[in-house]
């Protein structure tokens, strides 16, 4: 994918933390070789987190996040620090910028401990080496004491920036083989049929992101992708000389796709693939079963990772609430969140229903799931829920034996 077409959820999210005037914005400009962030001697120049999609050679497409200083003592300082800490939930690599002329502060130690607790790969950058350069022995001692990778740079004259890039590359988790959408389920030459409805909710002139990503993964696996609409699925399967390995459908036409796909062909949905790729499929399967424990007056959160124009029969605000009420026969209170906001009160809800998370990176989606688990609140995503309420989740989990085993267990 090119720089401009790489989705934000597929970029490495690199967030910078540190004191005001430690040089976070200058480090970003040096890393990208562009004047992306405003640099000023005035404290608090960076207020709310600033997101910038960029390509850093040789790392590749990244999302750089510049945050407010942790020692911001302005009137809005506490609010800004809260927003800064919220960035940790979506951070793949944390860069803690320390002013080498001052040294490590209590605020630096606090954020480093927060980062360690979340097990986020970290590089501690001692900036302003042009004013005070640390020796290798000093850096080795600091690295040992802090338990994190350290590097000395000068954002002003760009000394040490190449070494910084290499250290970032070294700490980035290598998940390329582990987190494939569908590539690990198929072999070269396999046929995969994709059922992609084209209705008023479909984006004009293009497929939705999960469909695009799945097609790309199939092609990269040297398999064959065949795309059809739900009304042509039966005819498409009948005309194939070779039996497909897998049929992947949009969750909203799950029932028709299941009826038209022979039982000896595995069937799943784009959203279930996303549940495994971006989240924790086993926990989301557990969350589906929690639907039946809902009672009158319970609160359910429906959350989406992006913002989009709502249609009159919107999946999140109309269809899913209707299906849940029909299945439970209960009067449920539904609340909604979208985009970067999730919820400040997870404990309020008896169930969280989340979208596939295609616009979130894996760290952000896992953070939301972990937050729910921490408070013992069941969480499920759209595709898993739809398969469950329509009675076909067991079949849709056939490609995923561990998740199917959990589904077959009576744990509710």
């Amino acid at each position: 994918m090119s720089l401009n077409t790489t989705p934000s959820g597929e970029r490495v999210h690199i967030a910078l933390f540190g004191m005001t005037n430690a040089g976070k914005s200058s480090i970003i400009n040096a890393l990208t070789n562009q004047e992306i962030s405003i640099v000023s001697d005035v404290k608090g120049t960076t207020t709310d987190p600033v997101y910038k999609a960029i390509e850093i050679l040789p790392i590749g497409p990244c999302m750089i996040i510049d945050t407010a200083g942790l020692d911001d003592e302005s009137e809005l300082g506490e609010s800004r620090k809260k927003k800064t800490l919220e960035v940790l939930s979506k951070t793949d690599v944390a860069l803690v910028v320390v002013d080498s002329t001052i040294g490590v502060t209590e605020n630096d130690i606090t954020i480093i401990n927060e980062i360690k607790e979340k097990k986020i790969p970290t590089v501690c950058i001692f900036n302003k080496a042009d004013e005070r350069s640390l020796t290798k022995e000093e850096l080795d001692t600091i690295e040992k004491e802090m338990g994190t990778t350290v590097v000395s740079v000068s954002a002003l004259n760009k000394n040490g920036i190449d070494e910084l890039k290499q250290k970032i590359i070294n700490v980035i988790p290598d998940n390329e083989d582990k987190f494939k959408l569908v590539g690990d389920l198929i072999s070269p030459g396999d046929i995969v049929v994709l059922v992609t409805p084209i209705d008023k909710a479909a984006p004009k002139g293009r497929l939705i992101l999960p469909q695009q990503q799945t097609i790309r993964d199939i092609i990269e696996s040297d398999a064959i992708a065949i795309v059809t609409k739900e009304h042509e699925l039966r005819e498409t399967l009948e005309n194939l000389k070779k039996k497909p390995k897998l049929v992947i459908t949009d969750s909203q036409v799950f029932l028709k796709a299941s009826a038209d796909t022979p039982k000896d062909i595995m069937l799943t949905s784009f959203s279930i693939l996303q549940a495994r790729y971006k989240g924790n499929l086993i926990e989301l399967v557990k969350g589906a079963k929690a639907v039946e424990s809902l009672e009158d007056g319970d609160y359910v959160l429906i959350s989406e990772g992006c913002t989009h124009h709502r249609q009159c029969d919107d999946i999140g605000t109309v269809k899913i609430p209707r299906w849940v009420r029909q299945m439970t026969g209960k009067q449920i209170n539904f609340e909604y969140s979208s985009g970067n906001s999730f919820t400040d009160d997870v404990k309020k809800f008896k169930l969280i229903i989340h979208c596939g998370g295609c616009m979130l990176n894996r760290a952000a989606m896992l953070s939301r799931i972990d937050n729910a688990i921490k408070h013992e609140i069941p969480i499920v995503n759209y595709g898993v829920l739809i398969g469950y309420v329509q009675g076909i989740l067991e079949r849709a989990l056939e490609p995923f034996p561990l998740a199917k085993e959990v589904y077959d267990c009576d744990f509710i």
Side-chain angles (χ1 to χ4, degrees), residues 25-69:
S25 298
S26 297
I27 291 290
I28 290 176
N29 293 339
L31 273 173
T32 60
N33 203 29
Q34 298 181 41
E35 295 299 316
I36 288 175
S37 290
I38 298 174
V39 177
S40 171
D41 290 334
V42 178
K43 282 195 172 186
T45 302
T46 302
T47 54
D48 291 342
V50 177
Y51 295 75
K52 179 65 178 180
I54 195 69
E55 183 153 2
I56 302 176
L57 296 176
I59 299 170
C62 300
M63 180 69 76
I64 294 288
I65 311 173
D66 193 5
T67 65

Side-chain angles (χ1 to χ4, degrees), residues 72-299:
D72 187 342
E73 296 178 356
S74 67
E75 188 175 337
L76 297 175
E78 284 304 316
S79 175
R80 289 170 177 169
K81 279 188 270 188
K82 181 181 177 183
K83 287 183 176 294
T84 292
L85 293 176
E86 287 175 354
V87 168
L88 287 174
S89 68
K90 62 192 73 175
T91 300
D92 293 311
V93 176
L95 305 183
V96 179
V97 183
V98 175
D99 185 336
S100 62
T101 66
I102 297 174
V104 179
T105 68
E106 288 298 321
N107 282 316
D108 294 323
I109 293 173
T110 297
I111 190 64
I112 288 171
N113 288 337
E114 289 262 5
I115 293 168
K116 283 183 178 179
E117 186 176 333
K118 293 182 178 294
K119 298 180 171 60
I120 300 171
T122 310
V123 178
C124 187
I125 305 168
F126 284 81
N127 189 29
K128 304 185 182 180
D130 51 290
E131 297 183 43
R132 182 177 184 270
S133 180
L134 299 178
T135 66
K136 183 180 184 304
E137 290 74 19
E138 288 176 311
L139 290 172
D140 288 344
T141 299
I142 294 171
E143 185 167 277
K144 184 176 180 180
E145 291 176 349
M146 297 179 67
T148 186
T149 299
V150 301
V151 62
S152 177
V153 308
S154 169
L156 180 65
N157 56 32
K158 298 185 180 180
N159 284 345
I161 296 301
D162 286 341
E163 183 183 359
L164 170 58
K165 289 181 180 180
Q166 187 57 54
K167 287 184 181 293
I168 293 173
I169 292 171
N170 292 344
V171 301
I172 292 175
D174 183 10
N175 295 328
E176 184 175 348
D177 294 327
K178 184 176 180 181
F179 300 117
K180 288 188 175 181
L181 264 171
V182 68
D184 60 322
L185 304 175
I186 57 179
S187 302
D190 282 343
I191 294 175
V192 181
V193 177
L194 310 176
V195 185
T196 60
I198 303 297
D199 55 24
K200 60 185 177 182
K204 188 71 173 178
R206 61 181 175 84
L207 299 175
I208 63 174
L209 183 57
Q211 295 167 355
Q212 298 175 41
Q213 292 174 325
T214 304
I215 292 172
R216 175 65 180 261
D217 201 19
I218 293 168
I219 293 173
E220 287 185 345
S221 301
D222 296 325
I224 301 165
I226 296 177
V227 183
T228 185
K229 293 192 292 185
E230 69 274 26
H231 300 295
E232 287 76 41
L233 174 59
R234 186 187 296 272
E235 181 180 358
T236 299
L237 294 174
E238 290 174 350
N239 288 335
L240 291 175
K241 294 182 180 180
K242 178 181 176 181
K243 184 174 74 173
K245 176 68 175 291
L246 180 65
V247 172
I248 304 170
T249 181
D250 185 285
S251 299
Q252 297 188 65
V253 293
F254 233 147
L255 277 177
K256 178 163 180 57
S258 180
D260 291 346
T261 303
K263 297 299 182 184
D264 61 342
I265 299 176
M266 288 194 299
L267 170 74
T268 194
S269 75
F270 294 104
S271 189
I272 290 176
L273 290 175
Q274 286 286 332
R276 184 183 70 136
Y277 179 63
K278 286 287 179 73
N280 184 328
L281 180 57
I282 289 177
E283 288 298 329
L284 297 176
V285 169
K286 291 179 182 179
K289 283 197 167 186
V291 172
E292 296 191 28
S293 65
L294 293 174
E295 299 290 344
D296 288 329
D298 283 345
Y299 282 82

Side-chain angles (χ1 to χ4, degrees), residues 318-362:
V318 179
K319 290 182 178 179
I320 286 179
R322 181 172 67 229
W323 288 327
V324 171
R325 289 187 177 116
Q326 288 174 345
M327 181 177 192
T328 63
K330 305 295 183 181
Q331 293 300 314
I332 310 296
N333 297 305
F334 290 94
E335 294 189 3
Y336 307 90
S337 70
S338 61
N340 287 329
S341 64
F342 182 44
T343 176
D344 291 328
D345 190 12
V346 173
K347 293 181 288 186
K348 173 181 179 179
F349 302 100
K350 289 298 179 68
L351 177 67
I352 297 172
I353 303 172
H354 206 288
C355 71
C358 62
M359 294 305 294
L360 298 175
N361 69 334
R362 180 173 169 82

